[in-house]
Amino acid sequence: MVALLAAVGAGTAAYIIDTTAAVDPPEPSQASATPGTPVLSARRVPQWTTELMANRSLVAAVEPVVATAPPGTCVEVGNGTETLYVVNGELPLVPASNQKLLTAVAAAEILGDDTVLSTEFRAAAPPVNGVLEGNLWMVGGGDPLITSDAGQGRKRGGPQPETNLEAMADQVVAAGITAVTGALIGDDSRYDTQRSLPGWPERWLAGGTVAPLSALLVNDGWQVDPITGEGPGGPAPDPAANAAAALATLLSERGVTFGAFPASGVAPADAQTLLSVPSLPVSALAGQILRYSDNTTAELLLKEIGLEVSAEGSTAAGAAAVADWAAAEGLAVSGANVTDGSGLSSTNLVTCELLASVLRSQGPDGGFAAGLAVPGQPGTLADRFPGDEWAERLRAKTGTLNEVTALSGWLVTRPGATLDFEIVTNTSDRRVNADDIALQSRVLTALLDQPVAPPLEQAGPLPPEGA
């Protein structure tokens, strides 16, 4: 009898043969099977060793690139479950629009994927023979995407998801209204009246980076004719009145008459709902945030979260609710701060660990990952990462402020691994430049051929020859 003991170390093997027992020769008819895999083959290396080799390769590829990053940079790479590489993972940094990753997930989880934010039309009583006595109230439900055909022309990168204003006007007419003896009055009392946040430069509202925050918005609160797209432009000082005026214009075109000019106000508590027009579901609104980085959608969803959690439709209530939710979900919230939903505020803080925990909580499949921007397609990556290969492999959320650039998402590598990545750079005393943005491309390029290791199914032993 032969006792064979093997001890495998780092590149060494020791074999001890016990010959103290008698050894019977094999019967002539018994052919000894020859191992299909040599004893010293890499195929006999345990899985943990194979993974360790792959991880070392990944680190060796990425580390020289990250070494060139500005000091205020965090980088993390994971396999969707655990971290494979990290630098400054716990460093709190301003995330810019990577904040929207947290907002989008929180909105879907707290409000529900299928929830809609409906715009309601109310009156004292239904119309009689087409005539509505008194005012028709247009009550905002927080839908951020009510847009006329002409308003779509203002969208960067082409048409975006919407609640079409022309279709809304058609529904009002279909409800049997041909004349209103009073006015069409916009009601945005669902949320508070804070149109902007402290610390946001005035130019952001003036230039349309974000709309004046209101529960009732049409064309992002921009002052233009809903049919021609012409007008003075600029943010409306009264978004609810602006929305009412835009819809009244379309209703007038459809033959509906009014006895007074559009205005804003609060609908009477006893007013009846004649028509309810739903927004896109929250899951689609979250996808619009991620793909197009829509600041207004993010901010209105944050107010809706506040309303849902604490009955207060404000940014502060929403921010507190998101922070509490993230902690309760076990996300890596240490060092983080939630000020707004869009990431426009420089007082927002995240870590790469937090962004990683958000992405990993949702996984690389499903609606959340599908909502991220894709290279070469409409969205914030339309002009970045050219080539078909990137479009097939990359889904990501961008982030940009004067002193911030960020990119986080999912990458499918050429060997077939799915990696999450999080990259945030704060330049602090200077504006972001082309080299800062190029760092993100260099990191992802370094990851493209990872992991460099034999796949596990190839590393296992082969069946014995002759068996």
Side-chain angles (χ1 to χ4, degrees):
M1 178 179 180
V2 178
L4 179 61
L5 305 177
V8 180
T12 63
Y15 299 92
I16 304 173
I17 301 178
D18 182 0
T19 59
T20 59
V23 180
D24 296 326
E27 295 295 331
S29 60
Q30 295 175 342
S32 299
T34 302
T37 302
V39 173
L40 299 182
S41 170
R43 289 179 177 274
R44 296 188 180 274
V45 177
Q47 178 179 354
W48 63 266
T49 306
T50 305
E51 292 176 348
L52 182 60
M53 293 167 56
N55 290 355
R56 286 177 176 172
S57 170
L58 185 149
V59 171
V62 175
E63 207 160 40
V65 179
V66 177
T68 66
T73 299
C74 70
V75 178
E76 186 157 346
V77 179
N79 60 10
T81 303
E82 59 186 355
T83 299
L84 306 178
Y85 174 82
V86 62
V87 170
N88 296 330
E90 298 180 350
L91 179 65
L93 295 169
V94 179
S97 284
N98 266 209
Q99 181 80 12
K100 294 183 177 79
L101 292 168
L102 185 62
T103 304
V105 175
E109 296 288 340
I110 295 173
L111 302 176
D113 278 338
D114 298 328
T115 297
V116 295
L117 310 177
S118 296
T119 304
E120 295 186 348
F121 290 87
R122 302 177 189 172
V128 177
N129 296 324
V131 178
L132 185 73
E133 293 291 339
N135 297 319
L136 176 62
W137 299 85
M138 181 184 187
V139 182
D143 186 345
L145 300 181
I146 304 175
T147 310
S148 71
D149 292 344
Q152 276 286 6
R154 293 190 60 251
K155 301 292 185 181
R156 298 173 183 174
Q160 295 186 21
E162 67 172 8
T163 301
N164 184 255
L165 189 64
E166 280 80 0
M168 186 179 288
D170 291 338
Q171 288 177 270
V172 172
V173 173
I177 299 174
T178 58
V180 178
T181 63
L184 179 60
I185 301 181
D187 178 350
D188 66 352
S189 60
R190 183 177 184 85
Y191 302 153
D192 67 2
T193 58
Q194 186 179 30
R195 306 301 186 201
S196 180
L197 267 66
W200 284 5
E202 290 185 8
R203 68 176 183 276
W204 285 349
L205 260 68
T209 297
V210 63
L213 304 181
S214 167
L216 180 59
L217 282 176
V218 166
N219 292 334
D220 287 325
W222 207 249
Q223 299 179 98
V224 293
D225 186 287
I227 299 174
T228 66
E230 300 175 352
D238 186 342
N242 183 68
L247 182 61
T249 297
L250 293 179
L251 289 173
S252 296
E253 187 185 44
R254 286 158 174 76
V256 178
T257 61
F258 293 91
F261 292 109
S264 63
V266 179
D270 60 352
Q272 301 179 36
T273 299
L274 307 180
L275 173 66
S276 182
V277 181
S279 71
L280 296 175
V282 165
S283 58
L285 297 177
Q288 193 261 355
I289 291 173
L290 297 174
R291 181 157 297 198
Y292 296 95
S293 202
D294 192 307
N295 297 312
T296 303
T297 302
E299 294 302 338
L300 295 191
L301 281 183
L302 190 68
K303 286 180 183 279
E304 185 66 25
I305 289 171
L307 185 66
E308 173 70 19
V309 173
S310 63
E312 180 184 329
S314 70
T315 300
V322 169
D324 290 344
W325 165 84
E329 289 293 307
L331 301 179
V333 297
S334 178
N337 185 60
V338 181
T339 300
D340 62 27
S342 61
L344 288 175
S345 175
S346 60
T347 58
N348 290 303
L349 291 174
V350 303
T351 64
C352 273
E353 285 190 351
L354 174 57
L355 296 177
S357 65
V358 170
L359 286 168
R360 294 170 195 172
S361 73
Q362 301 302 299
D365 304 312
F368 179 80
L372 295 168
V374 180
Q377 296 184 16
T380 57
L381 287 180
D383 299 325
R384 293 184 62 184
F385 298 96
D388 293 339
E389 182 176 26
W390 286 112
E392 295 173 356
R393 301 188 181 281
L394 180 61
R395 303 288 183 274
K397 179 71 199 76
T398 57
T400 306
L401 290 172
N402 284 344
E403 290 99 21
V404 181
T405 181
L407 190 72
S408 301
W410 295 98
L411 176 70
V412 178
T413 69
R414 288 167 180 152
T418 300
L419 303 177
D420 65 89
F421 62 89
E422 301 78 31
I423 310 167
V424 182
T425 296
N426 287 188
T427 56
S428 299
D429 57 349
R430 62 172 176 81
R431 294 178 68 94
V432 167
N433 59 36
D435 289 340
D436 301 318
I437 297 173
L439 173 75
Q440 299 161 0
S441 301
R442 292 169 59 210
V443 169
L444 297 187
T445 299
L447 290 172
L448 263 183
D449 289 316
Q450 302 302 317
V452 180
L456 184 59
E457 63 271 14
Q458 295 181 15
L462 296 174
E465 296 178 4

